[in-house]
Amino acid sequence: MTTADASWPLDETDDEPRGPVGKAFRLSAADSLSLGNALCGFLAVCVLAWSAINQLQTNGKFAAVPQFFGTAVVLLLIGATCDLFDGLVARKFRASAMGAELDNLADVISFGFAPAFMVVIWGGFTQRVPFPLVMVAAASVLLAGVIRLARFACVKTTSGDFMGLPIPMGAMTVVSIVLLFPPSIVTLLPIFGVAYLMVSRIEYPKPKGNLAAAVLAWMMINVACLTIWAAGLTGGDTLIKVGALMQVTIVAAIPLRVLMFKREKRKERKESESVS
């Protein structure tokens, strides 16, 4: 046996992973929240799919039923709540070796695939919008979310804020558009706009402290409004429209505020340079 042949098993052994590999299989409390987030996204898709399949089998046609859309959105809001708390729990207690990966994978399901599937259910059963265009809009939401999460894992901003619209907020905005407007070519444009904001370089503030509490309160209010709307109670339509409009307004206002802030900074810089 030559020297190269003798060293071959050693080279193979050196390529094998080392360290406490068994620890990677231990789930922490934060991981349980991430898994709950993924489960909520999966259940939301199942609710929407079952509503379409059941109606098509029974009536031969499909019409969106508020109860099913409301249930799906509540599940996504519960998933968003889990996503809000998993990072806090991981910092407070213990994070596992696969915590970050689980978080991103769960977000793809709940805030990438689930809202994209909702767009298909919303616009795919009408003659007013070409089905290929609906698929392109849904695919833009999914792909923008995947890119957004991949970039979040690789790029850190100097300010510590999010670069691009966070995917949970993007998903809730897509849901708000679906709840507010009937499907049409015009109402698909805001969905493309949300996809663009997710992959943009606009910085969004990270929810910390009072802001995190405000985000949680906003989610709980949305759940209450959706419950009233889905139950068909008086005033439910108004509540859901007001909540959805506020969500769309907030997401649209933040980029405008950032642009105004940057313009003010450039103006101040030019004035200081002219004085000096």
Side-chain angles (χ1 to χ4, degrees), residues 204-225:
Y204 284 78
K206 184 176 291 187
K208 301 176 183 176
N210 293 334
L211 183 57
V215 171
L216 179 61
W218 174 247
M219 291 177 180
M220 296 301 101
I221 292 171
N222 282 339
V223 170
C225 292

Side-chain angles (χ1 to χ4, degrees), residues 56-112:
L56 290 172
Q57 288 178 342
T58 305
N59 305 321
K61 59 181 181 180
F62 172 76
V65 179
Q67 286 78 7
F68 291 111
F69 269 84
T71 302
V73 177
V74 168
L75 286 167
L76 292 184
L77 285 169
I78 295 172
T81 305
C82 292
D83 184 62
L84 179 65
F85 278 103
D86 62 1
L88 299 174
V89 172
R91 289 189 292 271
K92 185 71 174 178
F93 299 101
R94 180 180 60 86
S96 72
M98 55 183 177
E101 286 73 15
L102 276 178
D103 186 29
N104 282 343
L105 290 171
D107 286 350
V108 168
I109 297 171
S110 293
F111 311 127

Side-chain angles (χ1 to χ4, degrees), residues 206-250:
K206 184 176 291 187
K208 301 176 183 176
N210 293 334
L211 183 57
V215 171
L216 179 61
W218 174 247
M219 291 177 180
M220 296 301 101
I221 292 171
N222 282 339
V223 170
C225 292
L226 282 164
T227 303
I228 295 171
W229 172 69
L233 300 177
T234 304
D237 289 342
T238 302
L239 284 173
I240 196 66
K241 288 179 181 178
V242 170
L245 278 172
M246 289 180 64
Q247 174 69 28
V248 174
T249 302
I250 290 171

Side-chain angles (χ1 to χ4, degrees), residues 2-272:
T2 64
T3 305
D5 293 334
S7 64
W8 176 75
L10 296 177
D11 292 338
E12 181 182 356
T13 304
D14 290 341
D15 289 338
E16 292 180 357
R18 295 180 178 180
V21 180
K23 290 185 178 180
F25 296 97
R26 298 176 185 173
L27 294 177
S28 65
D31 294 338
S32 300
L33 289 173
S34 296
L35 293 175
N37 178 17
L39 181 61
C40 286
F42 170 72
L43 291 176
V45 171
C46 289
V47 166
L48 294 172
W50 186 85
S51 69
I53 293 170
N54 185 53
Q55 287 193 53
L56 290 172
Q57 288 178 342
T58 305
N59 305 321
K61 59 181 181 180
F62 172 76
V65 179
Q67 286 78 7
F68 291 111
F69 269 84
T71 302
V73 177
V74 168
L75 286 167
L76 292 184
L77 285 169
I78 295 172
T81 305
C82 292
D83 184 62
L84 179 65
F85 278 103
D86 62 1
L88 299 174
V89 172
R91 289 189 292 271
K92 185 71 174 178
F93 299 101
R94 180 180 60 86
S96 72
M98 55 183 177
E101 286 73 15
L102 276 178
D103 186 29
N104 282 343
L105 290 171
D107 286 350
V108 168
I109 297 171
S110 293
F111 311 127
F113 179 69
F117 187 76
M118 186 175 290
V119 170
V120 174
I121 295 294
W122 167 72
F125 293 89
T126 177
Q127 301 299 323
R128 290 176 290 181
V129 187
F131 185 71
L133 186 58
V134 175
M135 291 296 294
V136 171
S140 71
V141 172
L142 174 62
L143 296 179
V146 172
I147 294 170
R148 171 70 182 77
L149 289 169
R151 189 175 65 184
F152 174 74
C154 301
V155 180
K156 303 298 180 185
T157 60
T158 55
S159 63
D161 293 332
F162 294 117
M163 181 183 291
L165 180 67
I167 187 171
M169 188 177 289
M172 291 302 110
T173 308
V174 170
V175 168
S176 298
I177 294 168
V178 169
L179 294 177
L180 275 175
F181 306 109
S184 68
I185 294 176
V186 174
T187 53
L188 284 178
L189 296 179
I191 293 177
F192 286 111
V194 172
Y196 165 75
L197 288 176
M198 282 196 284
V199 297
S200 71
R201 296 188 177 183
I202 299 172
E203 293 187 6
Y204 284 78
K206 184 176 291 187
K208 301 176 183 176
N210 293 334
L211 183 57
V215 171
L216 179 61
W218 174 247
M219 291 177 180
M220 296 301 101
I221 292 171
N222 282 339
V223 170
C225 292
L226 282 164
T227 303
I228 295 171
W229 172 69
L233 300 177
T234 304
D237 289 342
T238 302
L239 284 173
I240 196 66
K241 288 179 181 178
V242 170
L245 278 172
M246 289 180 64
Q247 174 69 28
V248 174
T249 302
I250 290 171
V251 170
I254 292 176
L256 293 176
R257 180 67 188 94
V258 171
L259 291 175
M260 291 175 61
F261 178 76
K262 289 184 177 180
R263 182 178 297 179
E264 292 171 359
K265 285 294 184 182
R266 284 196 297 267
K267 186 177 179 180
E268 293 175 359
R269 191 182 304 113
K270 288 180 180 179
E271 291 177 352
S272 62

